[in-house]
Amino acid sequence: MELTTTEKKIISLLKKGQQQTEIAEYFRNNKSFNINSQSAVEKLIMGLKKKYGVKTMFQLGVVIGTSKI
């Protein structure tokens, strides 16, 4: 499955236990990403859920935790 750089960064931050608000703050402070709102982060996470065929954050965490992402 092909992931964008942004999706990979979101997964990395989720693995570190960061919440969506913290991830949004990270992107606001990092000029190499063009994301400025929590809503954008939520949409990207929804896209990740869709890619992996899961419905909840818990399921996404399980998939991420058991795969080599």
Side-chain angles (χ1 to χ4, degrees), residues 7-20:
E7 290 171 330
K8 289 177 185 176
K9 188 60 183 178
I10 288 174
I11 289 171
S12 169
L13 294 169
L14 286 171
K15 282 183 171 182
K16 292 179 181 177
Q18 291 194 1
Q19 298 176 356
Q20 291 179 9

Side-chain angles (χ1 to χ4, degrees), residues 8 15 25 27 34 38 46 55:
K8 289 177 185 176
K15 282 183 171 182
E25 186 65 28
F27 284 121
N34 193 19
Q38 184 173 340
M46 290 294 284
K55 294 181 182 180

Side-chain angles (χ1 to χ4, degrees), residues 26-36:
Y26 170 85
F27 284 121
R28 274 193 289 274
N29 293 330
N30 192 325
K31 301 302 178 195
S32 61
F33 292 97
N34 193 19
I35 297 174
N36 296 319

Side-chain angles (χ1 to χ4, degrees), residues 1-19 23 26-27 33 35 41 44-49 51-52 57 60-69:
M1 182 170 312
E2 194 70 29
L3 296 173
T4 66
T5 303
T6 303
E7 290 171 330
K8 289 177 185 176
K9 188 60 183 178
I10 288 174
I11 289 171
S12 169
L13 294 169
L14 286 171
K15 282 183 171 182
K16 292 179 181 177
Q18 291 194 1
Q19 298 176 356
I23 294 170
Y26 170 85
F27 284 121
F33 292 97
I35 297 174
V41 170
L44 286 164
I45 291 173
M46 290 294 284
L48 284 169
K49 288 180 189 176
K51 275 186 180 183
Y52 287 104
M57 283 295 286
L60 182 61
V62 170
V63 169
I64 288 169
T66 58
S67 64
K68 298 193 191 274
I69 301 172

